mmCIF file of all heavy atoms in Angstrom:
data_model
loop_
_atom_site.group_PDB
_atom_site.id
_atom_site.type_symbol
_atom_site.label_atom_id
_atom_site.label_comp_id
_atom_site.label_asym_id
_atom_site.label_seq_id
_atom_site.Cartn_x
_atom_site.Cartn_y
_atom_site.Cartn_z
ATOM 1 N N THR A 1533 -5.830 19.502 5.347
ATOM 2 C CA THR A 1533 -5.064 18.654 4.391
ATOM 3 C C THR A 1533 -4.050 17.803 5.212
ATOM 4 O O THR A 1533 -3.350 18.325 5.946
ATOM 5 C CB THR A 1533 -4.296 19.580 3.388
ATOM 6 O OG1 THR A 1533 -5.192 20.460 2.768
ATOM 7 C CG2 THR A 1533 -3.636 18.714 2.336
ATOM 8 N N GLY A 1536 0.615 14.124 2.320
ATOM 9 C CA GLY A 1536 0.321 13.340 1.089
ATOM 10 C C GLY A 1536 -0.754 14.065 0.171
ATOM 11 O O GLY A 1536 -0.966 13.673 -0.933
ATOM 12 N N GLY A 1537 -1.369 15.117 0.691
ATOM 13 C CA GLY A 1537 -2.292 15.917 -0.075
ATOM 14 C C GLY A 1537 -3.758 15.530 -0.001
ATOM 15 O O GLY A 1537 -4.534 16.074 -0.705
ATOM 16 N N GLU A 1568 -1.566 9.563 -7.162
ATOM 17 C CA GLU A 1568 -0.216 9.796 -7.668
ATOM 18 C C GLU A 1568 -0.136 9.479 -9.190
ATOM 19 O O GLU A 1568 0.971 9.189 -9.648
ATOM 20 C CB GLU A 1568 0.844 8.922 -6.950
ATOM 21 C CG GLU A 1568 1.041 9.419 -5.492
ATOM 22 C CD GLU A 1568 1.655 10.793 -5.422
ATOM 23 O OE1 GLU A 1568 2.424 11.176 -6.294
ATOM 24 O OE2 GLU A 1568 1.236 11.594 -4.470
ATOM 25 N N LYS A 1594 -6.824 18.149 -12.674
ATOM 26 C CA LYS A 1594 -6.087 19.387 -12.690
ATOM 27 C C LYS A 1594 -4.817 19.315 -11.771
ATOM 28 O O LYS A 1594 -3.727 19.696 -12.100
ATOM 29 C CB LYS A 1594 -6.960 20.612 -12.251
ATOM 30 C CG LYS A 1594 -8.083 20.843 -13.217
ATOM 31 C CD LYS A 1594 -8.849 22.084 -12.899
ATOM 32 C CE LYS A 1594 -9.578 22.023 -11.580
ATOM 33 N NZ LYS A 1594 -10.617 20.912 -11.561
ATOM 34 N N THR A 1595 -5.045 18.847 -10.525
ATOM 35 C CA THR A 1595 -3.915 18.755 -9.576
ATOM 36 C C THR A 1595 -2.878 17.751 -10.067
ATOM 37 O O THR A 1595 -1.669 17.875 -9.902
ATOM 38 C CB THR A 1595 -4.411 18.384 -8.146
ATOM 39 O OG1 THR A 1595 -5.337 19.421 -7.740
ATOM 40 C CG2 THR A 1595 -3.304 18.413 -7.192
ATOM 41 N N THR A 1596 -3.351 16.640 -10.559
ATOM 42 C CA THR A 1596 -2.510 15.594 -11.200
ATOM 43 C C THR A 1596 -1.620 16.200 -12.279
ATOM 44 O O THR A 1596 -0.433 15.958 -12.387
ATOM 45 C CB THR A 1596 -3.332 14.416 -11.672
ATOM 46 O OG1 THR A 1596 -4.034 13.848 -10.596
ATOM 47 C CG2 THR A 1596 -2.404 13.386 -12.297
ATOM 48 N N MET A 1597 -2.224 17.035 -13.117
ATOM 49 C CA MET A 1597 -1.507 17.628 -14.192
ATOM 50 C C MET A 1597 -0.390 18.549 -13.641
ATOM 51 O O MET A 1597 0.770 18.566 -14.140
ATOM 52 C CB MET A 1597 -2.447 18.459 -15.099
ATOM 53 C CG MET A 1597 -1.704 19.326 -16.151
ATOM 54 S SD MET A 1597 -0.756 18.371 -17.330
ATOM 55 C CE MET A 1597 -1.987 17.960 -18.548
ATOM 56 N N LEU A 1598 -0.705 19.343 -12.562
ATOM 57 C CA LEU A 1598 0.291 20.237 -11.962
ATOM 58 C C LEU A 1598 1.497 19.360 -11.448
ATOM 59 O O LEU A 1598 2.614 19.779 -11.629
ATOM 60 C CB LEU A 1598 -0.319 21.037 -10.846
ATOM 61 C CG LEU A 1598 -1.338 22.127 -11.262
ATOM 62 C CD1 LEU A 1598 -1.838 22.846 -10.007
ATOM 63 C CD2 LEU A 1598 -0.747 23.087 -12.240
ATOM 64 N N ARG A 1599 1.190 18.283 -10.767
ATOM 65 C CA ARG A 1599 2.299 17.446 -10.245
ATOM 66 C C ARG A 1599 3.156 16.911 -11.442
ATOM 67 O O ARG A 1599 4.368 16.857 -11.317
ATOM 68 C CB ARG A 1599 1.705 16.258 -9.442
ATOM 69 C CG ARG A 1599 1.133 16.648 -8.091
ATOM 70 C CD ARG A 1599 1.066 15.402 -7.209
ATOM 71 N NE ARG A 1599 0.287 15.682 -5.999
ATOM 72 C CZ ARG A 1599 -0.980 15.388 -5.812
ATOM 73 N NH1 ARG A 1599 -1.666 14.835 -6.824
ATOM 74 N NH2 ARG A 1599 -1.576 15.694 -4.691
ATOM 75 N N SER A 1600 2.446 16.529 -12.483
ATOM 76 C CA SER A 1600 3.178 15.983 -13.637
ATOM 77 C C SER A 1600 4.093 17.024 -14.218
ATOM 78 O O SER A 1600 5.248 16.750 -14.552
ATOM 79 C CB SER A 1600 2.151 15.485 -14.751
ATOM 80 O OG SER A 1600 1.336 14.492 -14.183
ATOM 81 N N CYS A 1602 5.435 19.552 -12.723
ATOM 82 C CA CYS A 1602 6.526 19.823 -11.728
ATOM 83 C C CYS A 1602 7.616 18.796 -11.988
ATOM 84 O O CYS A 1602 8.827 19.089 -11.795
ATOM 85 C CB CYS A 1602 6.050 19.729 -10.308
ATOM 86 S SG CYS A 1602 5.088 21.165 -9.772
ATOM 87 N N VAL A 1612 5.925 26.595 -6.101
ATOM 88 C CA VAL A 1612 4.546 26.201 -5.970
ATOM 89 C C VAL A 1612 3.856 26.873 -4.837
ATOM 90 O O VAL A 1612 4.292 26.710 -3.668
ATOM 91 C CB VAL A 1612 4.471 24.661 -5.849
ATOM 92 C CG1 VAL A 1612 2.967 24.215 -5.772
ATOM 93 C CG2 VAL A 1612 5.160 23.880 -6.924
ATOM 94 N N CYS A 1613 2.834 27.635 -5.145
ATOM 95 C CA CYS A 1613 2.052 28.340 -4.091
ATOM 96 C C CYS A 1613 0.947 27.357 -3.691
ATOM 97 O O CYS A 1613 -0.152 27.224 -4.362
ATOM 98 C CB CYS A 1613 1.480 29.661 -4.613
ATOM 99 S SG CYS A 1613 2.772 30.825 -5.030
ATOM 100 N N ASP A 1614 1.210 26.620 -2.630
ATOM 101 C CA ASP A 1614 0.429 25.425 -2.292
ATOM 102 C C ASP A 1614 -0.417 25.748 -0.994
ATOM 103 O O ASP A 1614 -0.150 25.246 0.072
ATOM 104 C CB ASP A 1614 1.369 24.295 -2.032
ATOM 105 C CG ASP A 1614 0.637 22.929 -1.903
ATOM 106 O OD1 ASP A 1614 -0.531 22.824 -2.304
ATOM 107 O OD2 ASP A 1614 1.245 21.994 -1.365
ATOM 108 N N GLU A 1615 -1.413 26.561 -1.203
ATOM 109 C CA GLU A 1615 -2.219 27.140 -0.072
ATOM 110 C C GLU A 1615 -2.776 26.055 0.816
ATOM 111 O O GLU A 1615 -2.773 26.128 2.022
ATOM 112 C CB GLU A 1615 -3.341 27.999 -0.600
ATOM 113 C CG GLU A 1615 -4.160 28.698 0.455
ATOM 114 C CD GLU A 1615 -5.193 29.632 -0.088
ATOM 115 O OE1 GLU A 1615 -5.235 29.838 -1.303
ATOM 116 O OE2 GLU A 1615 -5.993 30.222 0.648
ATOM 117 N N ARG A 1616 -3.276 24.950 0.229
ATOM 118 C CA ARG A 1616 -3.929 23.909 1.012
ATOM 119 C C ARG A 1616 -3.080 22.627 1.168
ATOM 120 O O ARG A 1616 -3.603 21.517 1.542
ATOM 121 C CB ARG A 1616 -5.264 23.551 0.279
ATOM 122 C CG ARG A 1616 -6.275 24.688 0.403
ATOM 123 C CD ARG A 1616 -7.537 24.405 -0.343
ATOM 124 N NE ARG A 1616 -7.262 24.238 -1.735
ATOM 125 C CZ ARG A 1616 -8.215 24.245 -2.667
ATOM 126 N NH1 ARG A 1616 -9.456 24.427 -2.355
ATOM 127 N NH2 ARG A 1616 -7.893 24.120 -3.963
ATOM 128 N N ASN A 1617 -1.767 22.750 0.916
ATOM 129 C CA ASN A 1617 -0.865 21.591 1.108
ATOM 130 C C ASN A 1617 -1.224 20.342 0.317
ATOM 131 O O ASN A 1617 -1.017 19.204 0.717
ATOM 132 C CB ASN A 1617 -0.739 21.237 2.550
ATOM 133 C CG ASN A 1617 -0.057 22.266 3.436
ATOM 134 O OD1 ASN A 1617 1.115 22.447 3.278
ATOM 135 N ND2 ASN A 1617 -0.862 23.066 4.201
ATOM 136 N N GLU A 1618 -1.781 20.558 -0.896
ATOM 137 C CA GLU A 1618 -2.249 19.403 -1.744
ATOM 138 C C GLU A 1618 -1.210 18.960 -2.676
ATOM 139 O O GLU A 1618 -1.234 17.859 -3.188
ATOM 140 C CB GLU A 1618 -3.504 19.786 -2.511
ATOM 141 C CG GLU A 1618 -4.704 19.918 -1.606
ATOM 142 C CD GLU A 1618 -5.942 20.182 -2.402
ATOM 143 O OE1 GLU A 1618 -6.105 21.260 -3.004
ATOM 144 O OE2 GLU A 1618 -6.792 19.277 -2.521
ATOM 145 N N LEU A 1619 -0.159 19.791 -2.998
ATOM 146 C CA LEU A 1619 0.826 19.425 -3.962
ATOM 147 C C LEU A 1619 2.160 19.012 -3.473
ATOM 148 O O LEU A 1619 2.924 18.393 -4.169
ATOM 149 C CB LEU A 1619 1.002 20.677 -4.897
ATOM 150 C CG LEU A 1619 -0.169 21.030 -5.829
ATOM 151 C CD1 LEU A 1619 -0.061 22.418 -6.404
ATOM 152 C CD2 LEU A 1619 -0.220 19.970 -6.987
ATOM 153 N N LYS A 1620 2.421 19.413 -2.253
ATOM 154 C CA LYS A 1620 3.821 19.184 -1.725
ATOM 155 C C LYS A 1620 4.105 17.766 -1.739
ATOM 156 O O LYS A 1620 3.391 16.906 -1.284
ATOM 157 C CB LYS A 1620 3.948 19.785 -0.327
ATOM 158 C CG LYS A 1620 5.335 19.825 0.256
ATOM 159 C CD LYS A 1620 5.397 20.591 1.521
ATOM 160 C CE LYS A 1620 6.882 20.745 2.040
ATOM 161 N NZ LYS A 1620 6.936 21.508 3.254
ATOM 162 N N SER A 1621 5.387 17.420 -2.183
ATOM 163 C CA SER A 1621 5.855 16.097 -2.225
ATOM 164 C C SER A 1621 7.400 16.060 -2.134
ATOM 165 O O SER A 1621 7.992 16.946 -2.758
ATOM 166 C CB SER A 1621 5.377 15.380 -3.521
ATOM 167 O OG SER A 1621 6.022 14.122 -3.647
ATOM 168 N N GLN A 1622 7.923 15.072 -1.407
ATOM 169 C CA GLN A 1622 9.396 14.975 -1.373
ATOM 170 C C GLN A 1622 9.924 14.559 -2.673
ATOM 171 O O GLN A 1622 11.164 14.650 -2.931
ATOM 172 C CB GLN A 1622 9.713 13.956 -0.302
ATOM 173 C CG GLN A 1622 9.236 12.548 -0.636
ATOM 174 C CD GLN A 1622 9.602 11.526 0.407
ATOM 175 O OE1 GLN A 1622 10.720 11.590 0.943
ATOM 176 N NE2 GLN A 1622 8.757 10.566 0.719
ATOM 177 N N LEU A 1624 9.133 16.047 -5.619
ATOM 178 C CA LEU A 1624 9.064 17.145 -6.554
ATOM 179 C C LEU A 1624 10.175 18.146 -6.175
ATOM 180 O O LEU A 1624 10.210 18.689 -5.089
ATOM 181 C CB LEU A 1624 7.738 17.877 -6.494
ATOM 182 C CG LEU A 1624 6.543 16.965 -6.928
ATOM 183 C CD1 LEU A 1624 5.247 17.771 -6.806
ATOM 184 C CD2 LEU A 1624 6.682 16.372 -8.307
ATOM 185 N N PHE A 1628 8.292 25.197 -2.275
ATOM 186 C CA PHE A 1628 6.866 25.231 -1.910
ATOM 187 C C PHE A 1628 6.649 26.349 -0.884
ATOM 188 O O PHE A 1628 7.411 26.483 0.033
ATOM 189 C CB PHE A 1628 6.435 23.910 -1.325
ATOM 190 C CG PHE A 1628 6.323 22.768 -2.331
ATOM 191 C CD1 PHE A 1628 7.455 22.050 -2.655
ATOM 192 C CD2 PHE A 1628 5.158 22.484 -2.901
ATOM 193 C CE1 PHE A 1628 7.384 21.032 -3.585
ATOM 194 C CE2 PHE A 1628 5.079 21.468 -3.864
ATOM 195 C CZ PHE A 1628 6.159 20.733 -4.173
ATOM 196 N N SER A 1630 3.552 27.033 1.516
ATOM 197 C CA SER A 1630 2.235 26.454 1.961
ATOM 198 C C SER A 1630 1.690 27.202 3.136
ATOM 199 O O SER A 1630 2.385 27.909 3.893
ATOM 200 C CB SER A 1630 2.511 24.975 2.274
ATOM 201 O OG SER A 1630 3.092 24.277 1.217
ATOM 202 N N ILE A 1651 3.525 28.157 -9.878
ATOM 203 C CA ILE A 1651 2.388 27.234 -10.131
ATOM 204 C C ILE A 1651 1.367 27.515 -8.975
ATOM 205 O O ILE A 1651 1.727 27.549 -7.771
ATOM 206 C CB ILE A 1651 2.834 25.805 -10.088
ATOM 207 C CG1 ILE A 1651 3.571 25.478 -11.391
ATOM 208 C CG2 ILE A 1651 1.686 24.861 -9.851
ATOM 209 C CD1 ILE A 1651 4.018 24.048 -11.556
ATOM 210 N N CYS A 1652 0.123 27.706 -9.374
ATOM 211 C CA CYS A 1652 -0.970 28.021 -8.405
ATOM 212 C C CYS A 1652 -2.181 27.040 -8.792
ATOM 213 O O CYS A 1652 -2.539 26.994 -9.956
ATOM 214 C CB CYS A 1652 -1.448 29.347 -8.449
ATOM 215 S SG CYS A 1652 -0.218 30.610 -7.982
ATOM 216 N N ASP A 1653 -2.740 26.417 -7.773
ATOM 217 C CA ASP A 1653 -3.901 25.582 -7.977
ATOM 218 C C ASP A 1653 -5.146 26.390 -7.636
ATOM 219 O O ASP A 1653 -5.213 27.076 -6.614
ATOM 220 C CB ASP A 1653 -3.849 24.384 -7.079
ATOM 221 C CG ASP A 1653 -4.716 23.237 -7.619
ATOM 222 O OD1 ASP A 1653 -5.350 23.402 -8.690
ATOM 223 O OD2 ASP A 1653 -4.761 22.183 -6.926
ATOM 224 N N THR A 1677 -4.532 26.654 -12.447
ATOM 225 C CA THR A 1677 -5.756 25.813 -12.774
ATOM 226 C C THR A 1677 -6.976 26.673 -12.407
ATOM 227 O O THR A 1677 -6.972 27.636 -11.540
ATOM 228 C CB THR A 1677 -5.812 24.519 -11.982
ATOM 229 O OG1 THR A 1677 -5.962 24.745 -10.594
ATOM 230 C CG2 THR A 1677 -4.557 23.722 -12.219
#
Side-chain angles (χ1 to χ4, degrees):
T1533 305
E1568 290 297 325
K1594 297 187 295 298
T1595 302
T1596 299
M1597 173 62 85
L1598 291 183
R1599 289 199 189 97
S1600 302
C1602 286
V1612 182
C1613 297
D1614 191 18
E1615 182 175 357
R1616 292 176 296 193
N1617 291 289
E1618 290 184 290
L1619 289 164
K1620 191 172 183 179
S1621 169
Q1622 62 179 323
L1624 298 180
F1628 288 86
S1630 305
I1651 287 182
C1652 298
D1653 202 5
T1677 68

